[in-house]
Amino acid sequence: MKPGAGVRTRKRPILAGAAGFAVLGALLAACAPAPPRSAGGGETLDRSPSIVVYEPKARIDKRMAMAAYRQLLAEGEALDARLRQQAMRRLADLQLAVAGELRRAGRPALQALDEARRLYDALLQAYPEQPGDRILYRLARAYSEAGLQERTLAVLTRLVREYPASPLAGEADFRRGEILFAQRRFQEAAAAYERVLARGPATPLYVEALYKKGWALFAQGAYETALDTLFSVLDAKLAPGGRFVEAEALRALGEEDRALVQDTLRAINMSFSYLEERRSIAAYLNSRRQRPYDDLIYEALAQRYLVQDRFSDAAATYANFVALNPEHPEAPYYQMRVYEIYEQAGFRRLAWAAKQDFIDRYGFHSPFWQLHDRGRYPRVFKALKRNLMELAQHYHAQAQASGKDEDFQQVAGLYREYLRLFPQDPAAPRLRFLLAELLYETGRYREAITEYERVAYDHGRHPRAAEAGYAALAARYKLLPEQPPSQRPAWEAEIVTAALAFARRFPAHPEAPTVLTRVAEDLFAAGEQDRALDVTRRLLALQPPAKRPLRRTALTIQGHVYFDRQDYEAAARAYEQALALTAAGDGQRTVLQERLAAAFYKLGEAARAAGDLARAAAYFQRIPAVAPPEAGFEVTAVALHDAAAAFIALQDWPQAIAVLQRFLKAYPRHELGVEVNRKLAYAAEQAGRPKQAAAAYLELSEQEPEPRRRQWLWRAATLFDQGGDAESAALAYHRYVTRYPQPLEPAQRARWRLADLNRQLENFHQHRYWLQQLIDADRNQGGAADAAARETSRALAARAALELARSLERDYVNIRLTVPLQDSLRAKQRALDAALQAYTQALDYGFAEITTAATFAVGELYHHLSRSLLESQRPPGLSRMEREQYDILLEEEAYPFEEEAIRLHESNLRHLRDGLYDRWVQASLQQLAELLPARYDKRERGAPFVELID
């Protein structure tokens, strides 16, 4: 018997007939449970010992639904077992939901919970063969809602025992652990959490189970085991796979995860606190594998020691971390904490040692900086600077007190490290001076000289500079007695050099530069060039430098001397430096520019004479920079021309082109302009730059006399054409046709290219215009051209006529025959007449290849009209019979056009008798094979089709 039959026999009004059964089905569907919401497939419970309230998926009137289910259940044995089971479960779920609503509203819910538990128990007893894991889960929740934790625990235990593979078993075990933990049954709680963990990391609440297991082990006093578990929690939350956990990793966690991590760190800290009595914490940390978050562990432990005023332990904790992780991002800061803690505690000796360790570990050449960006550690570099300064001063005083060489060596090393790290620091000159003094005191005079001179000359102006320069001289004099006789002259020369350097750096008299300048001028006027050069060199070497006019005078003297000696390279250098010291409005500037340009040109000439064209071009090219074209220097134009000529000889086309273009831009009306344009056109052609060459030829077509103008204009047009610049090519051809309608042949070729280029540019109006122009020019040629030119013109005109006809043919083909047919057919007829007339014009020229092409095209015109009629739009509203009659009429109309197409294609085949078999004859044959397959679609080889023409 079907489920609905029993309901009908009882004749209950509320469920009477098929409609009643439908109501029941709808109610059952509306009350169907929601799918599991946890990531692991089970229903989610919150983390408190009570179970989450179950809510049905659909919003219904729960009380009415419960009344309906109770009425249904009252039918007893007459009710189908499956429906009874579903009704009991739905009623229990609704009772549980109502209890949750009551509890949230602050009202008594025990009655609803009792009813739910009774129904779930009844379900478990009545249907033991059905899977009961979800029923047990809901029953546990009902007990939990009622506050009966022991009963809740018993039901959850039954669930995991009877249904170990259930998706709810893992969460049930976690919930068991929560209840046992709350009851301080820590060993059993740990076992429950372990059952959750045994299901693998993908299990919901896996990390929470680790965390709670760690606390359960801690509560039992199993601190080391608890630590292992708690570290696993941090592994899950703080080990993204990198080498280190950046500080942002913890801040990036959600609020709940961050709280979990911080509480785990607290548990680890507390475990260490109790573990310390039995085992060394350092030994435990050293025994385990390093983890990315180790710095958090050490930081928390060290902070606990500091709170307890255990300074040595706190510093040792930080130091232990640094020793194990010297390249960790936080390691420099932890080493800084070591000496800060020692300083805070008053342990000065330990603080000095820790600072030395800090410098050794994170100094300039430390491996740490091979892994980390220095820009991210400003505090570390600031600490390095401070510690190096403090240690150097501390050990310097200690070395002076002890007098031991090793102490001095240690201090010198600290000074050198500081200077390597911070060479631009304001304190660097003072520290280098102290280093030099230390070396001098210990008799290391050569090393002291180096450092003194660096203080004097490498650090700019500062209070110690003059003193250091003098001290360097003193050290040199100290070493003079020790020099062997063979080395003494060289050493004395060094002393002289050093003395001159000192004099230059710290001149005694403010007018010394002026005096030296005057002496140099007098010597040059007297012809004593060598001595003049020597004085100018000394003058130019003075520091601080002499005033600009004085230095310019010295450099000008040097330039003149070198130019007279034909040392043009040295002369150019001197003139360049003098020019750099001359203001824009100074009258001497033009003289210096001209002299420098002359030196460069002389160098270019010499290089060209030696066959070094590349070097010659380089010198020529330097001239415009010092003698700008706008200033009117004639040598500049000649230099640019000569540089371009050198590059052309070297076949360095890009360089040649660049220089020639520069010339034309600078000198648009120069007398060398025509020659430069010729060179530019030639170079551009050789470089494979047709458009650039064309532009040059276009300029030449305006500059040179006839007949070259016409040649250059034609060359420009063809090069634009070759370069793919259709617009420029069209303009050039147009200019050519306008200027030179004769001779006929090139003018006709220009018109043909104009038509083709306009077609490429989709300027179809101009395309037809130039085709017609070509035809008209051929028609009006008269006897102005020779026979060959006339024949060429006529051939081009025939091709133009054919192309023009094809253009008109496209207009014709694009017209569709639509309703009303008379209108569209009339338009198509006009287009057909225009195309036929154009093809007839092409046929009139009598060229065989044009004739076959035109004949084929005309045949296709008629063939197209035949197809267009058959494919034309039918009038709307035709009956089937009317449609058939209409189609017959169209076929009758189309047939003559198809016949005409066949006739024309057959006429094309007659050219075979004359031995002409081009692609248009072949195309006609292919069309006939389609139109008259029985006659023309032959597969025989040879020439039997010729017989068909006869």
Side-chain angles (χ1 to χ4, degrees), residues 86-391:
Q86 290 183 3
M88 289 175 68
R89 181 162 56 84
R90 300 298 192 277
L91 181 57
D93 290 347
L94 288 169
Q95 288 283 12
L96 196 58
V98 168
E101 291 175 355
L102 293 171
R103 205 163 62 87
R104 287 192 294 275
R107 296 167 58 190
L110 287 177
Q111 183 178 352
L113 290 170
D114 287 340
E115 178 63 12
R117 291 198 303 274
R118 183 187 64 78
L119 287 166
Y120 288 134
D121 281 329
L123 277 168
L124 291 170
Q125 293 176 11
Y127 303 99
E129 72 282 3
Q130 296 296 324
D133 53 341
R134 294 189 180 278
I135 302 301
L136 287 169
Y137 185 90
R138 290 180 175 85
L139 179 59
R141 178 224 170 217
Y143 281 122
S144 179
E145 293 281 349
L148 302 175
Q149 296 305 317
E150 284 295 335
R151 297 299 301 274
T152 303
L153 179 62
V155 174
L156 290 172
T157 301
R158 179 182 172 186
L159 190 158
V160 298
R161 184 179 66 249
E162 295 181 6
Y163 302 97
S166 170
L168 299 171
E171 194 168 351
D173 267 324
F174 182 83
R175 216 38 67 192
R176 289 177 64 248
E178 296 288 76
I179 296 171
L180 292 167
F181 192 98
Q183 294 176 350
R184 306 185 64 79
R185 296 159 66 181
F186 299 117
Q187 186 173 0
E188 295 173 73
Y193 293 131
E194 183 57 36
R195 287 170 60 92
V196 178
L197 299 176
R199 295 176 178 271
T203 305
L205 301 174
Y206 181 87
V207 176
E208 288 84 353
L210 273 174
Y211 165 76
K212 293 305 294 284
K213 180 188 174 185
W215 274 109
L217 292 169
F218 173 87
Q220 297 175 64
Y223 302 121
E224 279 199 36
T225 310
L227 282 171
D228 292 340
T229 304
L230 292 168
F231 276 122
S232 296
V233 176
L234 296 184
D235 285 344
K237 293 296 181 182
L238 291 178
R243 185 173 180 184
F244 304 122
V245 172
E246 298 292 341
E248 290 78 14
L250 184 57
R251 290 194 293 269
L253 294 174
E255 183 177 351
E256 185 176 351
D257 284 340
R258 194 182 310 118
L260 177 67
V261 168
Q262 291 171 344
D263 204 38
T264 303
L265 289 171
R266 183 173 66 87
I268 290 172
N269 202 355
M270 291 173 63
S271 297
F272 278 140
S273 176
Y274 290 103
L275 181 64
E276 192 174 18
E277 299 174 2
R278 303 198 301 268
R279 182 181 178 187
S280 165
I281 295 172
Y284 174 85
L285 292 173
N286 294 346
S287 68
R288 53 184 279 280
R289 67 178 176 85
Q290 293 183 349
R291 289 176 167 86
Y293 52 81
D294 275 357
D295 57 313
L296 301 177
I297 305 300
Y298 283 82
E299 172 71 15
L301 183 59
Q303 289 300 319
R304 185 172 67 84
Y305 286 144
L306 287 174
V307 170
Q308 298 171 354
D309 290 338
R310 295 167 60 181
F311 300 106
S312 295
D313 290 336
T317 300
Y318 282 122
N320 187 39
F321 176 82
V322 174
L324 292 173
N325 307 277
E327 295 170 357
H328 192 281
E330 294 296 317
Y333 300 113
Y334 281 20
Q335 183 64 32
M336 290 163 62
R337 293 290 293 128
V338 173
Y339 65 74
E340 288 171 353
I341 291 169
Y342 284 141
E343 286 180 334
Q344 180 184 352
F347 302 151
R348 299 294 299 170
R349 185 180 59 81
L350 293 175
W352 289 122
K355 287 182 178 182
Q356 185 65 56
D357 287 343
F358 175 73
I359 292 168
D360 293 342
R361 289 183 186 277
Y362 304 108
F364 189 78
H365 298 293
S366 166
F368 180 85
W369 302 116
Q370 297 176 8
L371 299 175
H372 301 284
D373 180 12
R374 296 179 188 177
R376 298 182 60 184
Y377 291 84
R379 283 181 51 213
V380 174
F381 276 81
K382 186 176 180 181
L384 279 171
K385 181 188 291 188
R386 184 179 63 252
N387 291 336
L388 280 167
M389 182 75 75
E390 291 176 0
L391 283 171

